[in-house]
Amino acid sequence: MRRILLHAAASVAALSLGVSYASAQSGSVEKAVGGYSFEDAAKEAPGTKDFHSADGHLTFGIVTHTAGNGFFDPVYVGATVAGNMIGAKILLLGSESPVDDPAREIEILNQIVQDPTIDGIIMTTPQVGAYNDIVKAAEAKGIPVATTNSFDGTMLNRSSISHTGQDASAAAIGGEALAKCVLDSGKTSGSILLPSSTAMGNIEVNNRVTSAFNAIVKTLKDAGKLENFKVDAGPENVGIDTNPNDPVNALVSLFESRGDVVGAFTANNVFTPPLVKAVAQMGWTGKFCAFGFDLGPAQQEGIAAGNLTGSLGQQPFLQGFWPVMQLYLQIDRGISAANLDTRAQLVTKETVANVGKRFEN
């Protein structure tokens, strides 16, 4: 009996040792190879809150080129969420205009770069070459800069400034969808138009039109149908010049003048809501392949009603959230500028009900 008990005790001891050994090998990492604890390393640097303004908290200003049409609302939400996470004050600024207004944006930027309470600046850059003086002034004061939404590849010290936004090539998703819509509709010929306006000076929009145009042409060519359709994006494939000050009537006139339009693509918020109205006005609801950009209320209503077949979202929440976090990482961690491509979200009638439930689109 004693021998049996001793054997049982030895077995329990061996089992206990086995459990202990297994626990030690479970993959838990308690400290860095360098010897420091991860808990200590995760703490904010002591001087971060007193960076530049030395007022005990970080203040970032985010400035957009059109705060008046609703597109940038989720951008501001994203920036606010990020600010709350790191305990930073976020100034939400931008042109009051419902259309692109880089001049007003630059005016605001020139004001805040002189503000002694500012610790970082986030800005959209739709007008190529217009922001170098802002960058110079900010760098001279030791204020880090991040850009979002529109991209200026020529900007001073571009490689050292992070950018968050949708690459213009994402418009190809909409172009491909438009071409497939036309083919699926049973139309055997006609014009597919890409109206826009280069007068606004937004190179990103121009590049979107070109990307969508190329995707439409490729999709039709792959289907062996390109010769049956005329795809028109203007003489340089950056858009058929259309009046941005009276876009609805301009689109209706354009469509009526061609007489055989079977599809259209618009590349920004200036022309997509007017496209919705033009389709409704011409009685083409549910009968016309109309694709656009952004996912504001007008676009969502247009998709639900059948006046817009689909629209591309930029996931703008990220365009506010990441630049704030990037500036914080530069200040607190010394992390170099890291870009984020927010890609594209194609929304149609089947998916439009899912948009905007958390202000993210």
Side-chain angles (χ1 to χ4, degrees):
M1 182 69 176
R2 177 180 174 81
R3 183 178 299 172
I4 294 173
L5 290 174
L6 286 172
H7 178 74
S11 298
V12 170
L15 182 60
S16 298
L17 286 172
V19 170
S20 176
Y21 179 79
S23 177
Q25 299 299 315
S26 66
S28 175
V29 180
E30 297 179 359
K31 65 178 181 178
V33 175
Y36 58 83
S37 77
F38 293 118
E39 184 176 350
D40 287 341
K43 294 177 182 177
E44 184 176 87
T48 293
K49 289 290 194 292
D50 283 322
F51 175 80
H52 186 254
S53 61
D55 56 6
H57 66 272
L58 293 173
T59 300
F60 297 154
I62 178 168
V63 190
T64 74
H65 56 278
T66 168
N69 63 31
F71 168 82
F72 284 104
D73 288 351
V75 174
Y76 294 136
V77 173
T80 301
V81 170
N84 290 343
M85 291 176 68
I86 62 174
K89 181 179 180 181
I90 309 297
L91 303 181
L92 309 178
L93 307 166
S95 167
E96 303 84 350
S97 173
V99 298
D100 291 1
D101 189 1
R104 173 61 177 145
E105 180 199 14
I106 292 170
E107 180 183 346
I108 297 169
L109 284 166
N110 280 318
Q111 293 172 359
I112 69 165
V113 79
Q114 304 300 328
D115 187 337
T117 69
I118 292 293
D119 298 295
I121 294 174
I122 300 161
M123 60 185 181
T124 59
T125 56
Q127 188 170 325
V128 173
Y131 305 90
N132 288 347
D133 288 343
I134 303 295
V135 174
K136 285 181 184 178
E139 289 184 348
K141 295 176 179 293
I143 301 172
V145 173
T147 63
T148 193
N149 185 252
S150 48
F151 181 75
D152 178 2
T154 70
M155 194 169 69
L156 181 70
N157 297 333
R158 175 74 269 180
S159 60
S160 64
I161 296 173
S162 74
H163 180 71
T164 304
Q166 180 190 66
D167 188 90
S169 62
I173 297 171
E176 181 180 350
L178 170 56
K180 289 180 177 179
C181 174
V182 170
L183 293 172
D184 291 344
S185 72
K187 301 285 175 55
T188 57
S189 64
S191 295
I192 299 174
L193 307 182
L194 292 86
S196 190
S197 173
T198 59
M200 293 183 290
N202 193 326
I203 186 105
E204 191 76 10
V205 172
N206 298 348
N207 291 339
R208 287 177 190 168
V209 174
T210 302
S211 294
F213 170 84
N214 289 336
I216 294 168
V217 169
K218 182 181 184 302
T219 303
L220 293 176
K221 185 177 181 180
D222 290 348
K225 302 290 184 180
L226 179 58
E227 66 277 5
N228 297 342
F229 296 91
K230 180 179 180 180
V231 186
D232 189 354
E236 298 180 0
N237 295 334
V238 293
I240 302 168
D241 190 35
T242 308
N243 184 4
N245 298 313
D246 188 15
V248 177
N249 288 328
L251 289 173
V252 170
S253 296
L254 174 63
F255 295 159
E256 289 179 341
S257 69
R258 297 301 176 97
D260 65 344
V261 183
V262 294
F265 179 89
T266 51
N268 61 5
N269 197 65
V270 175
F271 285 102
T272 300
L275 176 61
V276 171
K277 293 181 180 179
V279 169
Q281 185 172 320
M282 299 190 74
W284 291 349
T285 302
K287 307 172 186 176
F288 184 73
C289 294
F291 284 78
F293 241 88
D294 300 335
L295 295 171
Q299 285 89 332
Q300 294 180 45
E301 292 168 7
I303 293 171
N307 295 313
L308 190 64
T309 314
S311 195
L312 290 175
Q314 301 183 51
Q315 306 197 96
F317 180 96
L318 290 173
Q319 295 181 11
F321 181 86
W322 176 245
V324 171
M325 299 305 293
Q326 175 61 52
L327 290 181
Y328 177 75
L329 292 173
Q330 285 181 244
I331 293 168
D332 187 62
R333 298 280 163 179
I335 292 177
S336 298
N339 299 336
L340 176 69
D341 183 357
T342 59
R343 299 296 295 153
Q345 176 186 19
L346 177 61
V347 174
T348 63
K349 196 167 188 176
E350 289 71 32
T351 59
V352 69
N354 299 325
V355 173
K357 289 185 177 180
R358 285 286 293 162
F359 312 100
E360 71 274 23
N361 292 296

